[in-house]
Amino acid sequence: MNGNSTRSDFLLLIIFAAVVLTAPITLAPIGAGYPDILQKFAIYGIFAIGFNILFGLTGYLSFGHAAFLGVGSYASVWMFKLFTMNVIPAVIFSVALAGVFALLIGFVSLRRSGIYFSILTLAFAQMSYNLAYSVLTPLTNGETGLQVRHLAPADRGPDYVLKLVNEDLRWVDQAFGVVEHGIPITNLFGMKMSGYPGFYFCAVILIIAFFIAMRISRSNFGMMLKAIKSNQNRLQYTGVNTRPYLLTAFIISGMYAGLAGSLLAVTDPLAGAERMQWTASGEVVLMTILGGVGTLIGPFLGATLIKGFSALFSSYNENILHQFFSFLPEFMQDGVVAVASMFVGEGWELTLGLLFVIIMLFLPGGLMQGFYLILGLFKRKKTSPPAAGKSEA
Amino acid sequence: MAILEVSHVNKRFGGLKALNEVQLSVEEGSVHAIIGPNGAGKSTLLNCFVGRLMPDSGSVIFNGTSLLGLRPHEINQTGVSRVFQTPEIFEDLTLLENVMIPAFAKADGAFKFNAWYRVSSRAEVRDEAAALLEEVGLADQSKMICSALSRGDKRRLEMAMCLIQHPKLLLLDEPTAGMSRADTNNTIDLLKKIGERGITKIIIEHDMHVVFSLATTISVLAQGTVIAEGNPDDIKGDPRVQEAYLGGAHL
Ligand SMILES: Nc1ncnc2c1ncn2[C@@H]1O[C@H](COP(=O)(O)OP(=O)(O)O)[C@@H](O)[C@H]1O
Ligand SMILES: [Mg+2]
């Protein structure tokens, strides 16, 4: 049993890696093979996989994880501005800082459970969002957002610290004599992190993040988290101090969010407070539920579906719809296009809402439940398998 | 030697005096039954031992340390396990996992961050859990999710979850309630077998057949007060007990 499940996990990892790495080719026919959208899949996949470590395993629903996403983005942009355009220090610092934030917010929020926990996390995220717009403007550049800029002049005055949001230093790059023409691009030891290299960087990190989440889920720690979700009281009477388990899970998922935020900045070096807004926190909840709470693959599927649909439907406009429905007689075409156009372009969220309702009604376990239903049909046709134990992919 | 010393414990719920100056001394290695009519305060008393309730006054000393003010997991770590009146198990997990979790809690302590190695790499724990499931007669279902179990099976599972911790003191709150005669007898046999391992037990029970098959000492609780204590023969003959508890019926 031991060897068997180790092998099937290894297989799952290989398949996952293959699917992710070949995405530029396999998704090209449906027009999603370009780096901008692929990066989004990978980055929000990481966000959702990490979110699932908290929500999926412990059942604690955080409504404030976008705060860590935002912290990750700001932290990375600051690393670019102050030290180097190399992405490695930025990623490391972002993950660490998001971890510290998660420690603080989690420590307080985890004093409550259920809806009170959710509200506390939401409150903290909204506080972060508001702080980013108000008192923290010297760090966040407020509504304009924080960006990588040109270097400060060599004869900078003593007040250069106050101008740092608009004039960068890049001490490390400067010490190594890197010459800049215009605004520099992020790099991995010289390899530019735009276009496909940027996607592949995110993809490799996604695969590592997936692997770690898989290890956590199969570990003792993961089992304790599942036990918390199942019956926290019993676990306490069984001798387990559940609070540090919850806090650790909260910090890990916060670090995943920080990593995702950092990668957003790596692929596009700017950070804005809207990344911390409650809608962003809600989106990762939707991704996880849509894909399948508590499953390994589900959150990634959910993230891909939501980001894919948003790109697809928001790009449609009336002209495209007219082409699409051109087989209809003229008098029907206008009516159909008028109705359909409510669901595309700016109205794509309406489509998403409908999709969500339909999936939740028929597949409360998310896309993964649908996947298992189909798998079950195929299996039953071949042989009738013995009732296996719980399988989690 | 007394392993658990309870003295002058009081607990009030609003106007109701649920426990009134309760005194209890549980000898190491004994099977101490607490009997009494419904609502006498038996479960409330156990709640005071495991950290679910804090008594208004009094003391509960286990093995030389006071249990009052300790949190539930701390009390468990001192060697006290409890089977609840309504089964408390991990419904969404398999039977095997249900038994392995308490084993890990015992082996690894209240918190240990081990997020890298697979659960199944700890073969010794899995084997012990499997052996215990065999012992309580649930081996066939060990890969099943627990929510499908019958109430009697859930209780036996909970017993296995407590036993794998090798507790010094095992608290059993009506372990045979709702069980068939056959299951009840199985449970008595199981508890007798555990007795041989020298685990001290406090058992709350309605079924007099169970009480007199197992108990070495009996305390009778009525309206929050201990009205009698002694060995089974004394209790059987005590007229106050017959009056308060058995409504005059002869044992
Ligand atoms: N948490 C509580 N709050 C208020 N009243 C309680 C609580 N727990 C128990 N009681 C009351 O205390 C009395 C003793 O209950 P209990 O200890 O469950 O009795 P039993 O001996 O049947 O186990 C009952 O009248 C019960 O209603
Ligand atoms: Mg009771």
Side-chain angles (χ1 to χ4, degrees):
Chain A
M1 175 201 148
N2 187 359
N4 223 345
S5 57
T6 311
R7 211 170 307 133
S8 65
D9 275 359
F10 184 67
L11 199 65
L12 183 66
L13 181 69
I14 296 296
I15 294 172
F16 182 81
V19 168
V20 170
L21 294 174
T22 58
I25 302 160
T26 54
L27 292 184
I30 61 163
Y34 58 98
D36 270 9
I37 185 73
L38 291 172
Q39 278 161 8
K40 286 239 159 57
F41 290 166
I43 292 171
Y44 283 92
I46 292 171
F47 191 18
I49 287 171
F51 186 74
N52 185 60
I53 292 174
L54 180 71
F55 178 43
L57 297 186
T58 73
Y60 275 65
L61 175 56
S62 161
F63 254 107
H65 259 51
F68 309 125
L69 191 77
V71 166
S73 289
Y74 282 123
S76 282
V77 177
W78 271 114
M79 290 301 280
F80 299 145
K81 290 169 81 67
L82 291 181
F83 301 104
T84 169
M85 291 305 287
N86 189 322
V87 297
I88 297 294
V91 169
I92 292 171
F93 178 59
S94 292
V95 171
L97 192 67
V100 172
F101 269 72
L103 170 69
L104 298 175
I105 294 181
F107 183 79
V108 179
S109 303
L110 286 168
R111 316 220 132 237
R112 293 285 171 272
S113 61
I115 186 79
Y116 303 102
F117 167 79
S118 304
I119 298 289
L120 278 171
T121 52
L122 176 63
F124 276 117
Q126 281 307 90
M127 269 159 60
S128 313
Y129 171 69
N130 284 320
L131 284 176
Y133 266 137
S134 55
V135 280
L136 292 182
T137 11
L139 283 174
T140 62
N141 205 18
E143 279 180 51
T144 324
L146 193 65
Q147 292 178 39
V148 171
R149 292 300 183 93
H150 56 81
L151 290 173
D155 61 339
R156 52 182 174 250
D159 65 337
Y160 74 94
V161 175
L162 298 174
K163 296 190 200 154
L164 276 178
V165 287
N166 290 318
E167 290 181 341
D168 295 359
L169 298 176
R170 267 184 288 290
W171 278 314
V172 177
D173 282 1
Q174 291 313 300
F176 282 91
V178 176
V179 184
E180 291 185 9
H181 309 286
I183 307 291
I185 298 176
T186 53
N187 68 75
L188 176 67
F189 304 110
M191 194 203 302
K192 295 238 181 312
M193 287 290 103
S194 55
Y196 284 106
F199 160 70
Y200 277 107
F201 181 66
C202 296
V204 167
I205 292 190
L206 167 67
I207 292 164
I208 296 170
F210 177 79
F211 176 61
I212 293 175
M214 187 157 103
R215 295 299 299 230
I216 289 176
S217 167
R218 308 293 194 231
S219 71
N220 267 48
F221 177 69
M223 184 160 86
M224 288 302 178
L225 298 184
K226 290 174 203 166
I228 289 176
K229 182 179 186 178
S230 187
N231 189 345
Q232 183 167 197
N233 253 324
R234 180 17 118 187
L235 194 58
Q236 285 165 346
Y237 290 108
T238 296
V240 175
N241 191 2
T242 54
R243 190 77 61 76
Y245 280 99
L246 283 166
L247 186 58
T248 311
F250 193 93
I251 293 171
I252 292 173
S253 76
M255 289 165 85
Y256 268 75
L259 176 62
S262 167
L263 293 178
L264 284 175
V266 163
T267 52
D268 184 10
L270 54 86
E274 75 288 342
R275 225 161 249 179
M276 297 185 164
Q277 215 172 355
W278 66 273
T279 46
S281 292
E283 196 179 51
V284 74
V285 179
L286 292 189
M287 288 169 178
T288 311
I289 294 179
L290 202 60
V293 181
T295 63
L296 281 172
I297 302 279
F300 174 68
L301 283 184
T304 307
L305 191 77
I306 287 186
K307 285 297 161 193
F309 265 57
S310 86
L312 188 68
F313 285 97
S314 62
S315 70
Y316 282 3
N317 55 31
E318 293 210 1
N319 285 339
I320 299 179
L321 286 176
H322 270 291
Q323 276 175 23
F324 191 76
F325 290 111
S326 57
F327 62 91
L328 292 171
E330 191 109 0
F331 71 98
M332 281 172 75
Q333 227 186 77
D334 288 343
V336 171
V337 169
V339 173
S341 64
M342 282 164 44
F343 292 87
V344 300
E346 305 229 303
W348 72 269
E349 281 169 325
L350 200 56
T351 316
L352 183 66
L354 270 181
L355 180 79
F356 191 75
V357 169
I358 291 169
I359 291 187
M360 283 303 100
L361 280 180
F362 296 103
L363 298 170
L367 295 173
M368 287 312 285
Q369 188 189 2
F371 175 75
Y372 280 121
L373 279 177
I374 296 168
L375 205 70
L377 285 180
F378 275 107
K379 269 192 188 157
R380 209 167 309 150
K381 268 183 195 151
K382 271 191 275 173
T383 52
S384 55
K390 193 170 55 162
S391 61
E392 296 169 39
Chain B
M1 196 196 93
I3 192 166
L4 185 75
E5 198 75 62
V6 179
S7 44
H8 304 290
V9 166
N10 291 286
K11 181 74 198 176
R12 200 175 252 293
F13 295 118
L16 176 81
K17 198 130 179 55
L19 295 175
N20 183 18
E21 294 291 316
V22 172
Q23 302 261 15
L24 206 64
S25 179
V26 178
E27 287 299 310
E28 187 160 6
S30 70
V31 180
H32 196 125
I34 300 176
I35 63 173
N38 255 328
K42 305 181 297 294
S43 297
T44 304
L45 187 61
L46 287 201
N47 287 342
C48 292
F49 299 166
V50 296
R52 178 172 272 195
L53 283 177
M54 185 72 183
D56 302 332
S57 61
S59 70
V60 177
I61 309 287
F62 171 70
N63 239 354
T65 42
S66 169
L67 295 184
L68 299 187
L70 295 186
R71 288 157 69 201
H73 69 266
E74 294 169 327
I75 292 176
N76 174 280
Q77 292 288 349
T78 66
V80 182
S81 289
R82 173 172 181 184
V83 176
F84 286 82
Q85 191 167 352
T86 40
E88 291 265 0
I89 57 173
F90 305 109
E91 302 261 350
D92 320 299
L93 305 182
T94 66
L95 274 75
L96 194 63
E97 285 171 320
N98 264 269
V99 184
M100 284 169 77
I101 287 167
F104 284 125
K106 169 92 178 177
D108 296 347
F111 175 72
K112 184 173 179 190
F113 183 63
N114 172 4
W116 195 247
Y117 295 103
R118 307 176 66 87
V119 170
S120 45
S121 68
R122 304 267 292 263
E124 78 290 354
V125 170
R126 196 191 56 219
D127 293 345
E128 194 185 354
L132 209 54
L133 280 173
E134 177 93 55
E135 197 171 336
V136 298
L138 292 170
D140 294 343
Q141 288 117 299
S142 69
K143 297 262 169 61
M144 223 172 79
I145 303 291
C146 299
S147 51
L149 289 180
S150 73
R151 203 181 152 108
D153 283 349
K154 282 182 184 171
R155 189 152 296 114
R156 274 190 292 174
L157 173 65
E158 204 182 353
M159 207 116 52
M161 291 164 70
C162 288
L163 288 178
I164 201 162
Q165 295 197 310
H166 305 290
K168 295 196 189 84
L169 176 64
L170 179 60
L171 308 175
L172 299 141
D173 198 344
E174 307 202 15
T176 67
M179 277 191 186
S180 67
R181 187 86 267 174
D183 273 347
T184 300
N185 285 332
N186 284 338
T187 307
I188 293 175
D189 290 344
L190 179 67
L191 288 172
K192 278 189 174 150
K193 208 161 23 162
I194 311 163
E196 289 155 18
R197 293 179 201 167
I199 300 173
T200 311
K201 289 183 282 295
I202 296 181
I203 176 165
I204 292 177
E205 191 49 75
H206 270 303
D207 189 331
M208 285 306 125
H209 169 61
V210 179
V211 171
F212 290 116
S213 318
L214 292 170
T216 51
T217 315
I218 299 178
S219 294
V220 185
L221 204 62
Q223 290 170 351
T225 312
V226 179
I227 57 167
E229 184 172 301
N231 64 42
D233 291 333
D234 295 343
I235 295 295
K236 258 185 204 171
D238 191 320
R240 282 175 305 166
V241 177
Q242 302 204 343
E243 182 56 37
Y245 184 44
L246 302 155
H250 199 73
L251 279 171

